[in-house]
Amino acid sequence: MADTKREIERKYELPVRPDGGDSGSRPDGPSPLPDLTKVRAVSAVTARGVTELDAVYHDTPDLRLAAGSLTLRRRTGGADEGWHLKFPVGDGVRDEIRAPLSDTLPDELAALVRSRVRGAELTPVVRLRTSRDTSLLVDKAGRTLAEVAVDTVRAERRPAGTGAGTGTAEWTEIEVELADDGDPALLDAVEKVLRKAGVRPASAGSKLARALAETAPATTKGAGPGKRAPAASKRAPVTAGDHVLAYVREQAEAIVSYDPAVRRDLPDSVHQLRVATRRMRSAFRTYKKVLDRDATRPIGAELKWLAGELGVDRDQEVLAERLTAGVDAHDTTLLLGPVHARLRIWDAAGRTDARTRTLAVLDSARYLRLLESVAALLADPPLLEAAHRKPAKVLPRAVVKDYDRLAGRVDHALGLAPGEERDLALHDARKAAKRARYAADAAEPALGKPAKRFSKRMKAVQSVLGDHQDSVVARDTLRDLAVQAHAAGESAFTWGLLYGEEESRAADRERELPRIWRKSAKRKLRTALFD
């Protein structure tokens, strides 16, 4: 069974000696660490001795994990030997997923990298043998504040399909890792002392990044992760096609990144993954004069399928939060019967079914084929003639066209009498508002503030329509809960009360919509985007 540990650490390089080496510790030399008892709150530095670590890092031949700043290793030696998979969380912060030592990659970790690896083979790419001299920083009460390690590292490149290494490198570095529940301010204080001693923050984000850079063949030196040469796809966007592709790549990376977050059941991960699929599909439809629809339409259909499958989980989450908030807003005198218990049972059953379905989708061959299709499209994008034009000549027209589509739906919905038909029309308008907003978001890097302001207006329209639709869905569920309560001999009063409040809330949103809609006048939109 895998365990997760939040790792907050900083890495440092030692000063370079005149002969080109570093000033790291040697068996016959002094420690490179300054006196860290100068750090406030540190009472003593306790030596823990030297541990020999042997880690083999795995990746695809084209280093897909390294490109996403992930590291996957099998390490022997030390108290935590086994398989380790690290995900970046923030600057100097990573989540480390640990699994017991085994000859092959555990299934649980394999699933967490599947969105990046897809069908490629994972092979050893680098072997790191490290002599780790560890010390603990402790306070007056003897509590550990941080662990400091002086690592003497020997790296050996292991190209895919070979047993022997081709490039080697050696260096010494210092790692300072905060203890669990430690104060991050301690790391700042330690760094201040290290800097005064001539120690500087490491240029590479990880040992693997440095090893890949320093053991790369001579023809690719400086192009590895951490020192990667700018790729053509990474250059600053110039044409309309550049901007649209940059946006699509951003969504593709979001899908790949949120996949393991969903598997780990991290907060808001399903929502973010679903949004990325919708944004990409929307871009294909909005910018059809930039990217050939014959190529994007099949992918768009699969993205629609994926968003629909994820919607089961996300809708359950949103609805549960809404109903719980509604119940909690009332005094207990209005909660007749086992209201909380029935709501918990309903939510638990719904979440279990939804999560099971979501994980099955992410493990499906259909989903992997979708990821491969997106990667293939980005590797060889189907650009049309408009893609090579200036963004200001292409993108605004696409945004305005989506606005026109939204305007037609809003006008249609507002012209209907309140009821089911109007509810459906408002839901269609909501989807159009999302598309118009996403269109502006994709264009914002090229069009600047006008697109940003337009996106903000569309978000306001979307929010009103979204709250209305959530009320429609909530009322359906509340009616079902009332029927279940009545059939069980319980009072249905509270469910009816909540139903009436949702009905009133939806009416408020319908009255609010015309005012919000007037703020996004088409004349202002055209003037802003085409000036």
Side-chain angles (χ1 to χ4, degrees), residues 317-327 467 470-471 474 502 505:
E317 179 183 14
V318 171
L319 184 56
E321 290 175 357
R322 190 179 185 98
L323 297 185
T324 300
V327 170
D467 194 38
D470 289 347
S471 177
E502 286 291 355
R505 186 175 291 117

Side-chain angles (χ1 to χ4, degrees), residues 173-346:
E173 66 181 35
I174 297 173
E175 283 189 6
V176 183
E177 182 175 348
L178 194 66
D180 293 344
D181 301 321
D183 183 359
L186 177 75
L187 297 181
D188 294 331
V190 172
E191 180 166 313
K192 185 176 181 180
V193 174
L194 291 176
R195 281 181 174 271
K196 285 184 177 180
V199 178
R200 295 291 178 263
S203 57
S206 66
K207 286 183 176 66
L208 176 62
R210 181 167 182 174
L212 288 172
E214 296 193 10
T215 64
T219 55
T220 59
K221 282 280 187 179
K227 296 185 179 180
R228 190 179 298 275
S233 62
K234 299 292 185 180
R235 66 181 173 85
V238 176
T239 65
D242 290 339
H243 282 280
V244 173
L245 284 175
Y247 184 77
V248 173
R249 286 192 183 93
E250 182 181 335
Q251 308 319 314
E253 175 60 26
I255 292 173
V256 168
S257 297
Y258 280 110
D259 173 298
V262 171
R263 295 176 187 274
R264 295 169 59 198
D265 203 19
L266 297 184
D268 203 39
S269 55
V270 174
H271 172 57
Q272 294 300 332
L273 178 54
R274 191 185 188 200
V275 167
T277 65
R278 285 178 160 178
R279 283 181 177 272
M280 184 184 293
R281 178 169 174 257
S282 180
F284 290 158
R285 299 168 71 187
T286 296
Y287 297 106
K288 59 187 177 182
K289 291 190 176 180
V290 174
L291 295 174
D292 190 348
R293 284 292 283 155
D294 286 342
T296 64
R297 189 176 288 107
I299 298 177
E302 292 302 280
L303 289 169
K304 182 179 181 181
W305 160 76
L306 177 58
E309 294 292 329
L310 295 172
V312 176
D313 198 343
R314 173 58 181 169
D315 292 348
Q316 175 69 26
E317 179 183 14
V318 171
L319 184 56
E321 290 175 357
R322 190 179 185 98
L323 297 185
T324 300
V327 170
D328 291 344
H330 289 89
D331 187 87
T332 54
T333 57
L334 296 178
L335 304 182
L336 304 185
V339 175
H340 285 290
R342 179 162 294 282
L343 188 56
R344 284 195 298 269
I345 292 170
W346 166 83

Side-chain angles (χ1 to χ4, degrees), residues 118 295 299 369-382:
R118 302 189 299 278
I299 298 177
R369 286 195 298 270
L370 169 58
L371 296 181
E372 287 286 5
S373 297
V374 171
L377 179 137
L378 290 173
D380 185 18

Side-chain angles (χ1 to χ4, degrees), residues 98-168:
R98 298 174 177 176
L101 190 65
S102 60
D103 292 336
T104 59
L105 178 64
D107 291 342
E108 188 171 352
L109 298 193
L112 293 176
V113 298
R114 187 170 293 135
S115 62
R116 289 192 183 276
V117 173
R118 302 189 299 278
E121 182 183 5
L122 283 169
T123 62
V125 293
V126 166
R127 181 184 185 187
L128 296 183
R129 285 173 286 182
T130 302
S131 292
R132 169 162 290 180
D133 189 355
T134 305
S135 299
L136 300 181
L137 306 185
V138 298
D139 63 11
K140 291 181 180 180
R143 292 174 301 211
T144 299
L145 303 175
E147 179 181 284
V148 181
V150 179
D151 289 342
T152 302
V153 185
R154 295 169 295 281
E156 179 183 282
R157 188 70 166 240
R158 290 183 171 269
T162 68
T166 58
T168 61

Side-chain angles (χ1 to χ4, degrees), residues 15 53 57 281 424:
L53 307 174
Y57 287 77
R281 178 169 174 257
L424 293 173

